[in-house]
Amino acid sequence: MGATKGGKDWTPEYVVSIDHGRCIGCGRCFKVCGRSVLELVEKPFDGDDEFGDDMGNKVMSVKDADDCIGCGACARTCTKKCYTHAPA
Ligand code: SF4
Ligand code: SF4
């Protein structure tokens, strides 16, 4: 448990995983993460994704989960609902 500047309770929700079957590699989450936690990588499977599309060959991955501060910005910006977060 943490606290906001104003002293209100704040529970960080840390990144756990990204669903590569849903990710289209758009990079929106990467742009909002200020902690260099994320990395665009080659799609680790061939062919279509969960939506029946082959939207390119990149997906987002978690490069360094230990640097995550649990702000949740990545999940909020992801229109494909790829993210799983959890408290420590
Ligand atoms: S929760 Fe915040 S710090 Fe963690 S990966 Fe997402 S945007 Fe980056
Ligand atoms: S915002 Fe979602 S769909 Fe876009 S790269 Fe990030 S995880 Fe993938």
Side-chain angles (χ1 to χ4, degrees):
M1 178 79 74
T4 67
K5 184 182 179 188
K8 292 180 181 167
D9 289 345
W10 159 252
T11 302
E13 295 269 344
Y14 301 105
V15 65
V16 174
S17 63
I18 300 169
D19 186 339
H20 284 165
R22 302 179 66 83
C23 179
I24 58 172
C26 68
R28 290 167 60 107
C29 55
F30 183 86
K31 288 178 186 168
V32 300
C33 178
R35 300 292 301 178
S36 300
V37 175
L38 306 171
E39 180 180 37
L40 205 56
V41 298
E42 294 293 321
K43 194 161 69 173
F45 56 86
D46 289 328
D48 296 349
D49 61 22
E50 191 170 298
F51 304 99
D53 300 321
D54 190 359
M55 297 280 290
N57 58 357
K58 301 276 190 181
V59 287
M60 199 58 65
S61 69
V62 179
K63 179 184 70 177
D64 189 357
D66 286 350
D67 252 355
C68 179
I69 58 172
C71 67
C74 51
R76 282 196 299 279
T77 199
C78 178
T79 58
K80 299 299 182 184
K81 302 192 184 313
C82 299
Y83 276 90
T84 301
H85 284 69

